[in-house]
Amino acid sequence: MSDFEAIFRTPSEAHQVELTATSGTVPAELRGALLRNGPGVRHAGQTPLHFLDGYAFVASARFEGGRVVYSARHVDLPIARQEQAAGQLLGRRVFTNRPGGRLGNALRLKPHSSGSHDVYAWGGSVVASDLDGHHALDPVTLETRGPAPVNRLLSGLAPLSAMPRVDPFTGHLVVYTATPGVLGADRIAIVELDAQWNERGRVERSLGVKGAVPHDLTTTENHYIVVQLGMLSVPQAAAGGATLIDAIGLQAEGSRILVMPRRGDGPLRSLPLPKGCQSFHLANAYEEDGVLVVDTALYEGLVDFSLLRHPDARHGAMPAGRGCGGPFIARHTLRLNSGEHRVQVHRQAPGEAPSVRDDLAGRRHRFAYTSVQGGRGDEPVDNAYYWNHGVAKIDCDTGITMSLWDAGPRVHVTAPQFVARGEAEDDGWVMTWTHDLATDRGELVLLDAQHLGSGPVVRLALPAPLPPASHVCWAA
């Protein structure tokens, strides 16, 4: 079995298993849970699913008093039960069509999701989130409780944000719902929810272009920031095409960052990315001396997601990947009075899924931690999101890589998560889930954020390996 095929195996569940450190000692002061969500089962009956369309599988490692207790569960999704009973895919996905070719997918403009994109803790639950619904789980056992209350915001063709964020200024959960304008107005509504899931604020604006597909979001004291990853191909969607993301439209219209004031009736501002570039994820944003600063992960080209389709769905040899530059950390600056916008691409600072210290969200930061390709494995394309073998510490001010841990070309690492230890910005641990394909073993690894290159300070053996995750988070 190739390394590529191995990541499509169905992961094993675990229930309250105490993990053993194979090297190092778990810090007794660590209290909280490292969560991860990603695709688990990747067949809907007889229909092979694209990697990103697999059903949600959530894992948790709870730290307390030097002990680490691990659980991992498949999310009990109604669509998964229906499809497994039917023996085939019933709801069209973003990257996987229903059986029946174009005719079987025509006019299905709103794809179903598998709950496998992100994970967060809110309202007394762990929540697995995706475009057409968030799913509440028990925070200890990870047993599925049912739809999260935020799902009441769903309506029509408007999806929920797959990546909500906790706002440090209000303590609210911030989500958006966006109507791309296929059959009506192109609108985005950003909503704040309290810990009881009650709505505490709402701002609505026009997206300014038909077919815009927003993704990640963050907040500053005075603004909401949303990154637009691409364009919806309305003709392809209506005709049952194989993908809903329009590369030609993206090249013509371009990707951008959307900036919306949190109060008042100020306009939505559009910060264009360099021509032909694409961005999915934000590191952080802050305001200082009349300037809004936004750090993103930027691709110089378009990511080829076709290379993550299921091996059972391939016809003939796997095609060569259309490589693109990056991802690199890019710093965007907007002078709030004049509207002047500049982008600086830091080509010495590579990496995806950047994270910063949680208590600096929306405030000035210097460091970000990213997953990087590191030593090249057997992946079909350079620098795609899931083909990462290392973790880097980036200086966002100078645009350089300060240190890097390369796990090796057959070890997959997830997005890193910084967990604070002391007062200095980089005093803490960087955590990542790993899968060593040479030994077929999974680990949870802790690195010293100040000395990434020295390698793991703690290695915790998992009872079974995990496939690559979509996103991770720390629940203190």
Side-chain angles (χ1 to χ4, degrees), residues 21-26 456-460:
T22 57
S23 67
T25 302
V26 177
V457 295
V458 181
R459 291 180 180 270
L460 295 158

Side-chain angles (χ1 to χ4, degrees), residues 381-405:
V381 63
D382 285 336
N383 298 335
Y385 182 69
Y386 283 94
W387 302 111
N388 288 313
H389 308 285
V391 175
K393 177 183 180 180
I394 304 299
D395 187 326
C396 296
D397 291 343
T398 63
I400 64 170
T401 299
M402 298 191 66
S403 60
L404 182 146
W405 173 59

Side-chain angles (χ1 to χ4, degrees), residues 328-347:
F328 307 111
I329 296 298
R331 172 153 287 187
H332 307 256
T333 57
L334 171 68
R335 295 194 175 277
L336 295 169
N337 287 334
S338 68
E340 178 188 1
H341 170 230
R342 293 185 179 181
V343 183
Q344 185 176 9
V345 181
H346 297 312
R347 294 182 181 83

Side-chain angles (χ1 to χ4, degrees), residues 32-68:
L34 183 68
L35 306 170
R36 50 149 284 157
N37 186 15
V41 176
R42 297 178 189 84
H43 272 92
Q46 299 301 310
T47 308
L49 299 174
H50 185 282
F51 185 89
L52 299 178
D53 292 329
Y55 303 123
F57 185 82
V58 175
S60 165
R62 290 186 291 114
F63 291 76
E64 185 171 0
R67 297 176 62 238
V68 184

